Amino acid sequence: MPLTDCLRERPGPPVMPHADTENLCRLLAHVPLLEGFDPGELARFARGVREQNVDKGAVLFHRGDPCHGFHLVLCGQIKLAFTSAEGQEKVIEIMRPGQSFGEAVMFMEKPYFVMAQALTDSRLLHIAKSVVFEEMDRDPTFCRRIIAGLSQRLHHLIADVETYSLLSGRERIVGYLLREEESSGEPGLCGRVSIRLPTSKGTIASRLNLTQEHFSRILHELAEAGLIVVEGRTIHIPDIERLRTTGARY
Amino acid sequence: MPLTDCLRERPGPPVMPHADTENLCRLLAHVPLLEGFDPGELARFARGVREQNVDKGAVLFHRGDPCHGFHLVLCGQIKLAFTSAEGQEKVIEIMRPGQSFGEAVMFMEKPYFVMAQALTDSRLLHIAKSVVFEEMDRDPTFCRRIIAGLSQRLHHLIADVETYSLLSGRERIVGYLLREEESSGEPGLCGRVSIRLPTSKGTIASRLNLTQEHFSRILHELAEAGLIVVEGRTIHIPDIERLRTTGARY
DNA sequence: GCCGAACCTTGATTCCGGTTAACTCCCGGA
DNA sequence: TCCGGGAGTTAACCGGAATCAAGGTTCGGC
């Protein structure tokens, strides 16, 4: 029962006062990386897993911190970002429930080179390097999953680079909205859908490599063109097909 | 002996008229991914390896082509890039001898989403998916290497994203020159070094997310500031320390 | 219900970098 | 030798997006 609960966005009341092995195993069974593992394997993993509850704004790690494992989001949102010498920040990714991060750094045995901060009160699991490495030696299929995961990550990142370098601000925003709509899985009758931004507009703007101001302006333009209706953090799309076809135009 | 030969930049006369297993093994022994493998393992690999000689300008694969393995550069340069709907091109990476590419796509069992084109006459190896997968099942340390390689790649890509989004054009160029100098390994007395650009300025500009014109302008500015001297494709740096400290300034 | 702090919007202005268009250089081939 | 084309440079101009600077909203806490 906590399994589904804790993969929702909103934290809700703490289901588990403190993590015992059995509960951990139940959580682990739903981790993408460990899907289909039998109880024995999960128990081995549980030894190196620790639950983390972090408040909104808390920093999980800074650039330069040593890495002892990887993280998995159970609920809430974690932002990965780096900060320039002048203090400006660029959000690389907003991690949502079910997603994990920090694997690559862990495998390289180097310190983190980005920082992670909770955008909302969040609950996550920390999986220690040691148990991952042990399991890798033991189980080739586990290796395959890790490789698949890293490949996927790489793909996304290249897609991001493509987005940043080939698309205008407006195109990036339209693309973001369309993707967000897709992943939300809402049916939306006859092309009408509403999506709720997962976090503040400023953060999303940074994720899309835009300033908050520019983001706001483009949203306004899209609204003026009748392609969207902005209502606080909720965006209504009267005709998603039209947004897809004419949204990119300028 | 051909081993070292073929890891140079310039192709030179073809050392091997056609690849037999023994020669292939000798080549494979120097592939980073396979370093330290014993002859038996290499022989297993050789079954799925094919040598490729491509002329300058030849396209190895387009976006959308199916992927049957990964590639390793023996000599020459291969550019990875994508093209926008409007036909403009963005270079993601310039692969040099000893580097490999296409692994991530191979593991995802998806078609290529970038294209690869030879910048010079080049020689490379194509390693079939099948032998890689077989070896992965057989050898956990091989998996580890793959994971390490993918992690490394991911790291570089994130560093690129950081570069693109946080640094000005000028800073990117200065950074590029400094990295190029570092990797060239030339000693360079009392801070004086010369580096030769690996390929055309237009291509490097695209790699750095700049237009050719802007790249040219910045080079000119740096030259005017006395930080570099441009002589065709060769860049002289009279004082590398000064470039490092004042090059970023604007 | 008031206050302050985040968050967001809006407008004015600036500027980095892209676009366009000559023009030069250099090299290779007929 | 001349020609043609690719690479590189230069300059004028433009525009997308950042910056600066106020306002406006929303919301939680006292």
Side-chain angles (χ1 to χ4, degrees):
Chain A
M1 190 132 318
L3 329 161
T4 49
D5 263 13
C6 70
L7 285 175
R8 286 219 201 95
E9 292 269 330
R10 290 273 125 223
V15 189
M16 311 185 329
H18 64 279
D20 56 280
T21 302
E22 194 190 328
N23 274 330
L24 267 186
C25 284
R26 268 195 281 167
L27 288 175
L28 289 175
H30 288 249
V31 171
L33 207 61
L34 303 178
E35 219 148 74
F37 273 36
D38 65 48
E41 290 168 316
L42 290 179
R44 278 207 302 273
F45 251 92
R47 291 188 347 258
V49 176
R50 142 182 127 238
E51 198 184 341
Q52 280 177 305
N53 287 284
V54 293
D55 294 336
K56 171 173 175 171
V59 174
L60 270 98
F61 52 79
H62 295 272
R63 164 182 282 219
D65 285 354
C67 170
H68 303 116
F70 74 94
H71 305 261
L72 184 123
V73 184
L74 293 177
C75 51
Q77 287 152 22
I78 307 292
K79 138 189 119 180
L80 302 184
F82 31 53
T83 24
S84 75
E86 295 83 42
Q88 59 180 328
E89 183 178 280
K90 152 72 183 141
V91 175
I92 306 162
E93 197 53 277
I94 299 164
M95 308 308 292
R96 314 268 274 272
Q99 298 185 290
S100 57
F101 56 96
E103 296 96 326
V105 177
M106 174 181 81
F107 290 123
M108 287 195 301
E109 316 243 17
K110 281 188 178 174
Y112 291 111
F113 47 91
V114 300
M115 66 132 243
Q117 186 179 24
L119 290 173
T120 64
D121 292 353
S122 306
R123 201 145 74 91
L124 38 178
L125 296 181
H126 178 271
I127 294 96
K129 188 154 58 167
S130 56
V131 292
V132 176
F133 282 14
E134 275 173 35
E135 194 63 22
M136 275 168 50
D137 286 336
R138 202 183 305 243
D139 181 0
T141 70
F142 183 63
C143 286
R144 294 285 278 266
R145 286 178 190 213
I146 288 176
I147 289 172
L150 288 174
S151 299
Q152 198 66 42
R153 203 74 53 91
L154 211 50
H155 183 193
H156 280 141
L157 213 46
I158 290 185
D160 271 352
V161 171
E162 178 172 13
T163 293
Y164 295 148
S165 45
L166 252 33
L167 269 43
S168 71
R170 183 166 174 154
E171 291 170 312
R172 295 205 292 275
I173 292 183
V174 170
Y176 175 80
L177 292 176
L178 293 173
R179 259 175 290 131
E180 202 64 19
E181 186 275 327
E182 213 164 311
S183 68
S184 80
E186 302 292 314
L189 273 84
C190 48
R192 302 183 60 86
V193 287
S194 296
I195 62 186
R196 185 162 177 77
L197 300 179
T199 183
S200 78
K201 294 185 183 171
T203 303
I204 293 173
S206 172
R207 168 69 244 269
L208 298 174
N209 242 0
L210 295 168
T211 57
Q212 188 171 203
E213 294 91 330
H214 196 205
F215 183 76
S216 176
R217 255 183 276 261
I218 293 176
L219 238 41
H220 188 82
E221 285 169 22
L222 290 173
E224 242 178 11
L227 292 166
I228 63 172
V229 177
V230 181
E231 189 189 336
R233 205 167 271 190
T234 305
I235 312 256
H236 305 281
I237 304 173
D239 184 348
I240 190 126
E241 221 29 75
R242 200 156 68 87
L243 182 65
R244 205 188 310 278
T245 52
T246 71
R249 231 187 14 189
Y250 198 48
Chain B
M1 192 133 317
L3 330 161
T4 49
D5 262 13
C6 70
L7 286 176
R8 287 220 200 95
E9 291 269 332
R10 288 276 126 219
V15 189
M16 314 184 324
H18 65 277
D20 56 281
T21 303
E22 195 191 327
N23 274 330
L24 267 187
C25 284
R26 267 194 282 167
L27 287 176
L28 290 175
H30 288 249
V31 171
L33 207 60
L34 304 178
E35 219 148 74
F37 273 35
D38 65 48
E41 291 167 315
L42 290 179
R44 278 206 303 273
F45 251 92
R47 289 188 349 258
V49 176
R50 148 184 122 235
E51 199 184 339
Q52 280 178 306
N53 286 285
V54 294
D55 295 335
K56 170 174 176 169
V59 173
L60 271 97
F61 52 79
H62 295 273
R63 165 183 281 218
D65 286 354
C67 171
H68 303 116
F70 74 94
H71 305 261
L72 185 124
V73 184
L74 292 178
C75 49
Q77 287 153 23
I78 307 292
K79 137 188 119 179
L80 301 184
F82 31 53
T83 25
S84 75
E86 295 83 41
Q88 58 180 328
E89 184 177 279
K90 153 72 183 142
V91 175
I92 307 163
E93 196 54 278
I94 299 165
M95 308 307 293
R96 313 268 274 271
Q99 297 185 290
S100 57
F101 56 97
E103 296 95 327
V105 177
M106 175 180 82
F107 290 123
M108 286 194 301
E109 316 244 17
K110 280 189 180 174
Y112 291 111
F113 46 90
V114 301
M115 65 136 246
Q117 185 179 26
L119 290 173
T120 65
D121 293 352
S122 304
R123 200 144 75 91
L124 36 176
L125 296 180
H126 178 272
I127 294 95
K129 189 155 54 168
S130 56
V131 293
V132 176
F133 282 15
E134 275 174 35
E135 194 63 23
M136 274 167 51
D137 286 336
R138 202 183 305 246
D139 181 0
T141 70
F142 182 61
C143 287
R144 294 286 279 264
R145 285 179 191 213
I146 288 175
I147 289 172
L150 288 174
S151 299
Q152 197 67 40
R153 203 76 52 92
L154 211 50
H155 184 193
H156 279 143
L157 213 45
I158 291 186
D160 272 351
V161 171
E162 177 170 14
T163 293
Y164 296 147
S165 45
L166 252 33
L167 268 42
S168 70
R170 184 166 174 156
E171 290 169 314
R172 295 205 292 277
I173 292 184
V174 170
Y176 175 81
L177 292 176
L178 294 173
R179 261 175 288 131
E180 202 63 19
E181 186 276 325
E182 213 164 308
S183 68
S184 80
E186 302 290 315
L189 274 84
C190 46
R192 303 184 60 87
V193 287
S194 296
I195 62 186
R196 186 162 178 78
L197 300 180
T199 183
S200 77
K201 292 184 184 172
T203 302
I204 293 172
S206 172
R207 167 70 244 268
L208 298 174
N209 242 359
L210 294 168
T211 58
Q212 189 173 203
E213 293 90 333
H214 195 204
F215 184 76
S216 179
R217 246 180 299 203
I218 293 176
L219 239 40
H220 187 83
E221 284 169 22
L222 289 173
E224 240 177 12
L227 291 167
I228 63 173
V229 177
V230 181
E231 188 188 335
R233 206 166 271 189
T234 305
I235 311 258
H236 305 279
I237 304 173
D239 184 347
I240 190 123
E241 221 28 76
R242 200 155 69 88
L243 181 65
R244 205 187 310 278
T245 52
T246 71
R249 231 184 15 186
Y250 200 48

